[in-house]
Amino acid sequence: MALRRLVQRTLLNHSSSRLYPALGQSFSTDTSPSEPIRATLFPGDGIGPEIAESVKKVFNVAQIPIEWEEHFVGDKVDPRTESFLTWESLESVRRNRVGLKGPMATPIGKGHRSLNLTLRKELGLYANVRPCYSLPGYKTRYDNVNLVTIRENTEGEYSGLEHQVVRGVVESLKIITRQASLRVAEYAFHYAKANGRQRVSAIHKANIMRKTDGLFLKCCREVAEKYPEITYEEVIIDNCCMMLVRNPSLFDVLVMPNLYGDIISDLCAGLIGGLGLTPSCNIGEHGIALAEAVHGSAPDIAGKNLANPTALLLSSVMMLRHLNLNDKADQIHNAILNTISEGKYRTVDLGGSSSTTDFTKAVCDHL
Amino acid sequence: MMRRSSPTFRCLLRGATSGSSCEARRSVTYMPRPGDGSPRQVTLIPGDGIGPLVTGAVRQVMEAMHAPVFFETYEVHGDMTTVPTEVIESIRRNKVCLKGGLATPVGGGVSSLNVQLRKELDLYASLVHCFNLPGLPTRHENVDIVVIRENTEGEYSGLEHEVVPGVVESLKVMTKFCSERIAKYAFEYAYLNNRKKVTAVHKANIMKLADGLFLESCREVATKYPGIKYNEIIVDNCCMQLVSKPEQFDVMVTPNLYGNLVANTAAGIAGGTGVMPGGNVGQDHAVFEQGASAGNVGNEKLVEQKKANPVALLLSSSMMLRHLQFPSFADRLETAVKRVIAEGKYRTKDLGGSSMTEEVVDAVIANLD
């Protein structure tokens, strides 16, 4: 018994010693705004290059002190990373600590890892943050959405550990560790505090999966005690789904394990108009932030100047906030919102008829 | 065409039709068996929280209709360790049960009684019928979705253990046997109720073996029903589509956990937990309860002020009446409930009104032909 407590305390000290000294720098990169900040850019495939151009243009006009390092996904597998992403690209992200990623189509085949998996494992991206808010001027059935979903990104149901026990019986393992749950809970509360959010809700199914989701909840409760000014509540996932579709304004910040996070974050994206409008940011160890557009690469409209750059633009705003360039971020954010709410320049998927370049120009004009 | 000929199975399926007419009505007749029309005994479990209130409402309406059903009541509460044996005996004897919600303590100790009951009686299919009620405005129109969810295995196996302190594992078990029987149930249901499409919900791009097995079984069964369209959708995309374009879904068949989420989302877009009927169906037994969130027993305020919504349990009891082969009573009950909702005068708080349970019940009784 004493031995177990000793082991537990060692683990706790170990995990907290990894977090606390790095706390000052682990969540946001402090850099002086005068010298240009280097950021890695992965334009991606399909419509990726076009929307990356939009971002670069808007940043130019807004005079953001960012220097882009572009990396493309090659068509040869790099043996050092076992994927199409080269070691140099990954080193670049590790060095710069911020990046922006466009949509990447994973090539089919064997002998390499999927691109998203490579990025996640190599950069230690443990939290996926997706703010979902109703865009004024773009009417969906839900008008008052303003929530943020924070999803644990490394373990849970997506461990990939499955095997066939006997013919016709398959087992799949769901793994929850104290360390990963604490990490994502810490980030969630830090994010809530830094962005002025009042409430954090932990989403779980601990009435059925009592040990696994129970551990996740315990970790969230521990972290909640350190932030007494933020209200903390726990909601069972089926109730959460029901409440989200009836009244999304009930939620503020949601923190969840992997599978629930996947489903809920896509559900929330559906509430505000789809993946074409949703920004997203992945947070990794040592303060790495990789903002990305979560929609597909849309090969059918690639090269036709029809793509909607909103998702990538909003993700780049998230990246700027992570870099503490808040006033520039607000400037661009407001420009985008104003352009969409005016309604004159809208891309085809929002019901308008403007091209990518027209939309970009309109955003630049609004700056 | 593969058809199950057991009458219990067929009338279970027919029982879940909402009563609205469809274009090509296939005449599914059943042979009256001796003893039809004679009063049937049904086990009644009031449950916790708002359970006693809404089951009381059902009792009242049944009495007012003079339905040939009489109830054998048993007290079961969420904090008991197991469901008492006499309750299980009674359900095995009567074959049909009507149940209010049973609360489950979160995070420790007792395993959920709802899940226990389902495993004990092998109620392998959970059915939730989500549809727009005329007169009840919601954000989405044209919703008519039936979610058929595998009820015994998957993530709810309850097999968890702590590997070392701070690391916990939970097993998700999928078997071909269970996947096949739920797929067969879903397609047979679609066939007998004139449904056009069955959608399988999965996450096989990540959980390749487990959900892959489920999909394999669905595809095999789909080949035997060429008249019914079959497609597959990944669960996160499915939730997104449900929120933006729910009219594209008809019957959905899912494993255990995804089914819980999808059923609750669908119920939410169509009107809420308070109005969706549902049931748990097995080979020989059936337990009817409110469709979504069976573990949600409301809060104390609802119990004190007696403002719980009885509509869900009333519609579930009409499903039960069809199952017991009393279709005329079922139709009367359903029409009365729909009329009350359409009128809009007596609605409980979750539907936007302020009536008490009693008032809704009285209105339903008054509207019975």
Side-chain angles (χ1 to χ4, degrees):
Chain A
M1 194 57 187
L3 182 63
R4 173 182 276 204
R5 242 182 273 136
L6 183 66
V7 174
Q8 269 175 346
R9 209 174 297 133
T10 336
L11 270 171
L12 178 58
N13 285 341
H14 181 71
S15 58
S16 53
S17 66
R18 282 186 60 188
L19 288 176
Y20 286 104
L23 195 57
Q25 66 178 108
S26 78
F27 293 139
S28 56
T29 319
D30 294 317
T31 43
S32 62
S34 50
E35 49 173 76
I37 306 165
R38 301 180 65 88
T40 315
L41 175 65
F42 293 104
D45 308 311
I47 54 174
E50 297 167 52
I51 52 182
E53 272 308 311
S54 291
V55 173
K56 284 198 276 193
K57 205 183 297 178
V58 173
F59 272 38
N60 246 335
V61 173
Q63 295 171 338
I64 313 258
I66 288 211
E67 212 182 286
W68 296 109
E69 256 182 48
E70 281 191 39
H71 286 267
F72 286 90
V73 176
D75 48 2
K76 276 207 324 267
V77 178
D78 184 346
R80 293 167 294 178
T81 59
E82 279 173 54
S83 88
F84 291 103
L85 278 168
T86 57
W87 183 258
E88 281 78 28
S89 319
L90 293 172
E91 274 302 301
S92 148
V93 183
R94 284 198 196 105
R95 206 178 36 238
N96 299 335
R97 310 257 214 90
V98 277
L100 185 63
K101 171 177 162 295
M104 287 186 189
T106 303
I108 305 175
K110 293 192 189 289
H112 61 87
R113 293 190 286 185
S114 92
L115 296 164
N116 288 322
L117 186 64
T118 316
L119 282 168
R120 187 159 48 89
K121 286 255 150 79
E122 297 288 334
L123 302 171
L125 302 173
Y126 63 85
N128 180 315
V129 182
R130 221 186 261 193
C132 297
Y133 39 84
S134 301
L135 293 171
Y138 181 57
K139 195 149 180 16
T140 55
R141 292 187 176 104
Y142 297 89
D143 291 325
N144 49 356
V145 185
N146 187 3
L147 48 87
V148 180
T149 60
I150 299 183
R151 159 195 173 192
E152 205 286 321
N153 219 356
T154 56
E155 53 171 26
E157 296 82 349
Y158 291 11
S159 319
L161 298 161
E162 300 178 291
H163 66 285
Q164 182 166 264
V165 184
V166 290
R167 254 192 61 154
V169 180
V170 176
E171 256 179 18
S172 168
L173 289 173
K174 162 180 171 167
I175 307 204
I176 300 267
T177 57
R178 194 176 155 75
Q179 188 194 16
S181 309
L182 273 178
R183 214 167 39 169
V184 75
E186 284 281 354
Y187 186 76
F189 277 90
H190 165 87
Y191 183 93
K193 185 154 179 197
N195 288 279
R197 297 273 175 174
Q198 259 81 34
R199 212 171 51 219
V200 172
S201 316
I203 311 292
H204 66 97
K205 189 78 187 164
N207 48 349
I208 306 282
M209 289 185 260
R210 47 194 82 247
K211 288 203 180 119
T212 38
D213 286 349
L215 179 59
F216 181 78
L217 283 183
K218 228 170 27 171
C219 299
C220 290
R221 279 179 209 144
E222 274 177 30
V223 178
E225 283 167 19
K226 290 188 269 191
Y227 292 80
E229 66 276 8
I230 297 184
T231 332
Y232 168 70
E233 62 177 2
E234 300 169 356
V235 186
I236 300 187
I237 184 161
D238 41 10
N239 265 344
C240 169
C241 283
M242 174 84 65
M243 292 201 274
L244 268 176
V245 291
R246 305 217 73 198
N247 190 2
S249 57
L250 289 170
F251 290 105
D252 198 354
V253 176
L254 297 155
V255 61
M256 315 164 262
N258 213 336
L259 176 71
Y260 311 146
D262 194 1
I263 299 178
I264 300 279
S265 56
D266 276 3
L267 202 153
C268 296
L271 293 177
I272 60 160
L275 291 176
L277 299 171
T278 318
S280 160
C281 188
N282 293 304
I283 308 292
E285 294 278 332
H286 312 300
I288 293 184
L290 184 66
E292 67 172 343
V294 286
H295 53 77
S297 55
D300 43 340
I301 56 171
K304 296 189 188 152
N305 205 5
L306 289 171
N308 187 351
T310 311
L312 201 63
L313 280 168
L314 287 173
S315 305
S316 61
V317 168
M318 282 187 81
M319 190 183 83
L320 289 174
R321 285 197 213 278
H322 181 88
L323 290 168
N324 278 331
L325 294 168
N326 284 316
D327 35 352
K328 293 283 184 192
D330 286 333
Q331 207 186 357
I332 302 187
H333 194 159
N334 289 331
I336 302 173
L337 291 183
N338 284 336
T339 318
I340 296 185
S341 71
E342 253 187 15
K344 270 200 305 207
Y345 295 98
R346 281 196 195 172
T347 47
V348 179
D349 57 325
L350 291 182
S353 55
S354 307
S355 64
T356 315
T357 35
D358 286 340
F359 183 80
T360 316
K361 190 165 165 312
V363 173
C364 297
D365 291 337
H366 271 108
L367 280 168
Chain B
M1 287 266 183
M2 187 192 77
R3 292 185 70 153
R4 301 280 301 272
S5 53
S6 101
T8 323
F9 191 84
R10 192 177 303 137
C11 63
L12 283 172
L13 304 182
R14 215 181 332 113
T17 318
S18 69
S20 55
S21 62
C22 17
E23 327 75 4
R25 191 164 263 286
R26 196 179 289 116
S27 56
V28 181
T29 54
Y30 65 93
M31 300 301 291
R33 294 174 301 170
D36 253 339
S38 64
R40 287 286 303 267
Q41 192 173 49
V42 167
T43 314
L44 178 69
I45 300 180
D48 300 317
I50 56 172
L53 196 55
V54 292
T55 43
V58 171
R59 254 194 223 262
Q60 272 184 304
V61 176
M62 291 288 183
E63 269 175 35
M65 273 202 308
H66 305 292
V69 167
F70 55 100
F71 294 105
E72 213 185 322
T73 318
Y74 285 96
E75 289 292 323
V76 179
H77 295 288
D79 41 11
M80 294 181 177
T81 41
T82 52
V83 182
T85 28
E86 63 256 13
V87 181
I88 308 264
E89 279 305 316
S90 155
I91 304 183
R92 281 196 214 275
R93 214 176 31 238
N94 298 332
K95 308 261 195 258
V96 177
C97 168
L98 187 66
K99 172 171 155 299
L102 289 171
T104 312
V106 169
V110 185
S111 109
S112 164
L113 288 181
N114 292 317
V115 175
Q116 246 187 37
L117 201 58
R118 290 171 197 156
K119 285 200 176 146
E120 190 67 52
L121 298 167
D122 199 23
L123 304 172
Y124 63 86
S126 161
L127 206 73
V128 180
H129 188 189
C130 308
F131 54 96
N132 275 128
L133 283 166
L136 188 61
T138 52
R139 289 184 175 104
H140 304 263
E141 316 278 308
N142 280 329
V143 180
D144 190 5
I145 303 177
V146 179
V147 182
I148 297 181
R149 157 194 174 195
E150 208 287 322
N151 222 356
T152 54
E153 53 166 24
E155 296 82 350
Y156 288 24
S157 316
L159 299 162
E160 300 177 294
H161 66 287
E162 188 171 42
V163 185
V164 288
V167 179
V168 186
E169 255 181 21
S170 166
L171 288 173
K172 162 179 169 169
V173 180
M174 300 286 276
T175 57
K176 187 128 175 76
F177 174 65
C178 291
S179 306
E180 220 176 83
R181 72 180 173 174
I182 192 73
K184 281 189 193 154
Y185 182 89
F187 275 92
E188 191 64 17
Y189 177 93
Y191 177 69
L192 289 173
N193 286 281
N194 294 319
R195 296 269 174 177
K196 306 284 182 311
K197 194 160 75 158
V198 172
T199 310
V201 179
H202 66 97
K203 189 78 189 171
N205 49 347
I206 307 280
M207 290 189 256
K208 303 187 167 71
L209 284 182
D211 287 350
L213 185 62
F214 179 76
L215 282 185
E216 225 182 82
S217 318
C218 290
R219 281 178 202 146
E220 272 174 30
V221 178
T223 53
K224 301 195 179 110
Y225 290 82
I228 298 180
K229 282 206 291 233
Y230 166 72
N231 63 349
E232 301 167 356
I233 188 170
I234 301 185
V235 62
D236 44 10
N237 193 11
C238 171
C239 286
M240 212 182 331
Q241 298 293 327
L242 264 177
V243 178
S244 38
K245 286 205 248 28
E247 54 269 5
Q248 60 182 292
F249 294 111
D250 195 354
V251 175
M252 302 173 82
V253 59
T254 82
N256 215 332
L257 180 67
Y258 311 145
N260 193 359
L261 305 185
V262 168
N264 278 279
T265 313
I269 60 176
T273 346
V275 287
M276 297 299 137
N280 298 291
V281 170
Q283 186 73 11
D284 305 308
H285 315 284
V287 173
F288 294 92
E289 55 187 0
Q290 77 174 25
S293 274
N296 180 3
V297 290
N299 50 27
E300 292 94 43
K301 228 174 24 157
L302 277 180
V303 179
E304 279 166 17
Q305 298 175 349
K306 301 206 199 296
K307 282 192 172 181
N309 196 345
V311 174
L313 209 61
L314 283 170
L315 287 173
S316 299
S317 54
S318 119
M319 271 169 86
M320 182 187 77
L321 287 170
R322 285 218 177 79
H323 172 60
L324 292 169
Q325 293 178 325
F326 299 131
S328 52
F329 290 99
D331 285 333
R332 280 171 63 199
L333 178 51
E334 247 186 49
T335 356
V337 173
K338 286 195 178 151
R339 257 192 231 147
V340 171
I341 302 277
E343 259 177 17
K345 262 197 314 188
Y346 297 101
R347 283 190 193 170
T348 47
K349 189 146 173 279
D350 56 332
L351 297 179
S354 57
S355 310
M356 306 198 10
T357 315
E358 263 318 302
E359 296 172 7
V360 179
V361 172
D362 291 336
V364 170
I365 296 180
N367 267 298
L368 284 170
D369 314 302

